[in-house]
Amino acid sequence: MGEGALERVRVFPAQAIEAPPSSGTALTGAAILCPCSMGTLARVSAGFSSNLVERAADVALKEGRPLLLVPREAPYSALHLENMLHLARLGAVILPASPGFYHQPAHHR
């Protein structure tokens, strides 16, 4: 992270739909939803903004800004995959959380 980056981080309640990230004029660099539930992913895919998180994602898509979603649930159903594909076609990056412990790696020396 660049020098001074943490000082620029701002936090808003999910219900604060009037917060700057809900507007295209806020000039945010990107929107990152991490972790992203399948419910949130589905609502973003459908363009349904019920809170600030979903609205910030919607704004990123409409303004052509980077949108990164990190789905937290697995395995994926066909509906989950369709929603992810739809968002990818709109320009979002889907980056599934894939922690190494899922495949039970052995420690080698």
Side-chain angles (χ1 to χ4, degrees), residues 6-96:
L6 283 178
E7 289 80 24
R8 293 189 311 261
V9 172
R10 296 176 64 198
V11 178
F12 303 97
Q15 298 75 25
I17 200 74
E18 76 288 350
S22 69
S23 172
T25 61
L27 300 178
T28 56
I32 302 169
L33 280 59
C34 179
C36 183
S37 71
M38 287 301 163
T40 296
L41 194 142
R43 286 187 294 278
V44 171
S45 178
F48 182 76
S49 301
S50 65
N51 60 38
L52 182 58
V53 172
E54 295 158 5
R55 175 66 183 155
D58 185 52
V59 167
L61 287 173
K62 82 177 182 74
E63 297 292 332
R65 297 182 187 142
L67 173 60
L68 174 70
L69 298 109
V70 183
R72 69 178 188 189
E73 291 139 23
Y76 305 132
S77 72
L79 184 56
H80 296 155
L81 292 167
E82 287 175 6
N83 286 331
M84 285 187 254
L85 180 58
H86 181 238
L87 285 166
R89 287 183 172 147
L90 293 174
V93 173
I94 309 298
L95 179 65

